Amino acid sequence: MSLPLSTLIGLRYHRARHRNGFISFISASSTIGILLGVAVLIIGLSVMNGFERELQQRFLAIISHGELEAVEQPLADGAGLLEIATQQSGVEAAAPYISLSGLLQKGKQMKAIAVKGIDPDAERQISRLPEFVSSEAWQALEPTQANIIIGVGIADELGLVAGDTATLLLPQQSTGQRLSSPQRVAVRVVGLMRAAGQLDNQLGFVHIDQARQLNQWESGVSGISLRVSQPLQADELVRTIGMHSEQLVYVRSWMRTHGFLYQDIQLVRTIMYAIMLLIVAVASFNIVSTLILAVTEKRSDIAILKTMGAEDGLLIRAFVVYGAYNGVLGCLLGVVLGLLGVWSLPSLVAGVEQLLGRTILSADIYFIDFLPVELLWSDVALVALAALSLSLLATLWPAWQATRIRPAQELGG
């Protein structure tokens, strides 16, 4: 199957040696620019996709989507509010909890910890917390024993392992002008939570009945936790349920407490896409320069083609092929380099971390302590299409300029 004449002319001009070496340099630089822009954009978007995946499947799998917590604890009618919540459209499950804040002490070392009293059976309905804890540790959360599950970050800082005993210090209400000494409770660490992120340095879990004893309550809970089908709409759902509570409650959703994580991911994704497309656009302008210089160099050839009957459309198509060659080549090589970068990035980062002896993403700061990637072929197609479109648009004006050459002026002089 023979190629169209315009394609043959365009490819022939591209392969021909230029009298002006600067044309070859600009042509190569445009290809390299598009290549790097496409590759970096694919890698960057894959990393942002990975962060979003981990936010949804790891972070939001542990924390509740929404919470209703009594202003004056305990929440008296927790069972009634729980029933209202489960009947609300969009709510998949609800569970009671008791919240405690204190210090965990081992020897002279102390670490702040947010302890959550949970019902192990009900918690399975609203979170995937059991997936990050051993089954033995989960079953060891009993109502009659002071057992606790803590994050692995807390355990590492205090030098604790499963089976060790530590002291939990809880604040007590002061009487008069005198400060009360904290309540000291010996707890046994029955397991560690490994969420691979910030939560490992913050959370601990006990049985809800044990938390009730620590608070010296006969009944009641701090509030109820919710899991909703659409996490991005959790704020509205929690407010709706809170309006049905007879007792004054704090209304919280993950969008208020941790929504900045999702917003930051989307913001970085948008900025990265804009910057990388600008890099591709700059590289495409080099295609414009290449074609303008090429048209100038081939003026006599263009004049001969026009005298032989070449129409303007054929010349435009020929120089579009000439210019688009760099864009297509850069785009294809960029996609290949981007895919290789995405597939090798986790092992590369792990090697750098091993070489440096420290993690790049600290669990004290970030919600995960590793660099995630998730390749979406729709992103690859979108990036490639955008790069090809810009490179094709860059060829139109110089190609049109080739049709303005007058054979009589070029050959008659």
Side-chain angles (χ1 to χ4, degrees):
M1 181 178 177
S2 59
L3 295 174
L5 179 60
S6 58
T7 303
L8 292 173
I9 294 174
L11 294 176
R12 174 69 181 84
Y13 280 172
H14 191 277
R15 290 193 298 266
R17 171 172 285 185
H18 297 283
R19 293 191 298 269
N20 186 351
F22 189 60
I23 298 178
S24 300
F25 172 77
I26 296 180
S27 178
S29 66
S30 64
T31 302
I32 294 173
I34 294 173
L35 183 156
L36 292 177
V38 169
V40 172
L41 187 51
I42 290 175
I43 295 173
L45 290 178
S46 298
V47 171
M48 290 300 105
N49 292 336
F51 275 110
E52 187 171 348
R53 180 197 64 202
E54 295 302 322
L55 176 66
Q56 295 176 353
Q57 298 183 6
R58 187 179 298 267
F59 194 80
L60 289 180
I62 297 176
I63 69 168
S64 55
H65 295 168
E67 291 179 351
L68 297 165
E69 185 169 314
V71 175
E72 295 185 4
Q73 298 187 12
L75 181 64
D77 190 20
L81 190 58
L82 196 66
E83 183 178 356
I84 293 173
T86 53
Q87 293 175 354
Q88 180 69 33
S89 175
V91 176
E92 295 184 344
Y97 73 90
I98 294 177
S99 60
L100 301 166
S101 296
L103 296 172
L104 193 64
Q105 181 182 20
K106 177 65 174 178
K108 296 182 179 180
Q109 300 290 324
M110 289 187 179
K111 174 70 175 177
I113 184 171
V115 181
K116 189 174 184 180
I118 58 173
D119 181 341
D121 294 330
E123 190 67 21
R124 291 180 183 273
Q125 305 300 318
I126 68 163
S127 75
R128 290 166 45 210
L129 178 61
E131 298 179 15
F132 302 94
V133 180
S134 67
S135 58
E136 295 81 5
W138 192 255
Q139 294 171 2
L141 288 181
E142 298 180 0
T144 58
Q145 297 183 9
N147 295 338
I148 187 171
I149 296 173
I150 62 174
V152 67
I154 298 175
D156 290 342
E157 188 166 336
L158 297 180
L160 292 169
V161 295
D164 286 352
T165 300
T167 302
L168 181 62
L169 282 72
L170 299 171
Q172 295 192 92
Q173 187 174 1
S174 302
T175 57
Q177 296 182 351
R178 300 182 59 183
L179 295 176
S180 299
S181 59
Q183 178 186 1
R184 304 174 69 89
V185 182
V187 293
R188 186 168 70 94
V189 178
V190 293
L192 305 179
M193 179 186 71
R194 302 179 184 275
Q198 196 176 49
L199 297 179
D200 289 339
N201 297 281
Q202 299 174 346
L203 298 181
F205 300 92
V206 299
H207 196 282
I208 192 169
D209 290 340
Q210 197 53 224
R212 192 175 287 116
Q213 293 179 25
L214 294 175
N215 270 343
Q216 300 176 1
W217 294 348
E218 294 183 1
S219 62
V221 295
S222 295
I224 62 171
S225 300
L226 306 173
R227 189 186 74 184
V228 300
S229 56
Q230 299 293 332
L232 295 180
Q233 300 176 2
D235 202 35
E236 182 179 350
L237 275 173
V238 175
R239 285 201 306 269
T240 301
I241 298 171
M243 294 176 64
H244 293 86
S245 175
E246 296 180 358
Q247 188 173 344
L248 195 61
V249 293
Y250 293 115
V251 174
R252 288 194 293 262
S253 74
W254 79 273
M255 288 295 293
R256 291 192 179 187
T257 56
H258 300 95
F260 64 91
L261 295 174
Y262 178 79
Q263 294 165 1
D264 288 349
I265 291 172
Q266 302 306 316
L267 178 62
V268 171
R269 187 203 304 272
T270 302
I271 293 174
M272 181 180 299
Y273 200 84
I275 292 175
M276 290 303 109
L277 281 184
L278 286 175
I279 293 176
V280 173
V282 171
S284 299
F285 276 113
N286 284 338
I287 295 178
V288 176
S289 303
T290 301
L291 281 182
I292 290 175
L293 292 174
V295 168
T296 303
E297 186 181 65
K298 303 292 184 182
R299 292 181 71 89
S300 58
D301 293 351
I302 296 169
I304 292 173
L305 286 173
K306 297 191 76 170
T307 58
M308 295 174 63
E311 297 179 350
D312 289 348
L314 184 142
L315 293 175
I316 290 176
R317 292 192 298 272
F319 279 95
V320 165
V321 169
Y322 181 1
Y325 185 94
N326 291 333
V328 172
L329 180 62
C331 187
L332 290 176
L333 294 178
V335 168
V336 172
L337 182 61
L339 294 178
L340 292 176
V342 169
W343 291 329
S344 61
L345 188 60
S347 57
L348 178 63
V349 171
V352 172
E353 289 180 341
Q354 186 175 5
L355 182 65
L356 297 177
R358 58 185 296 272
T359 57
I360 294 178
L361 298 178
S362 173
D364 292 330
I365 302 173
Y366 302 99
F367 71 95
I368 53 175
D369 61 1
F370 61 95
L371 191 66
V373 293
E374 182 178 13
L375 180 66
L376 296 181
W377 290 106
S378 57
D379 285 343
V380 177
L382 182 62
V383 171
L385 182 62
L388 287 174
S389 300
L390 287 174
S391 59
L392 286 174
L393 287 174
T395 64
L396 296 179
W397 186 78
W400 177 71
Q401 288 293 101
T403 64
R404 302 183 63 185
I405 293 175
R406 298 293 180 259
Q409 296 177 356
E410 297 298 324
L411 300 178

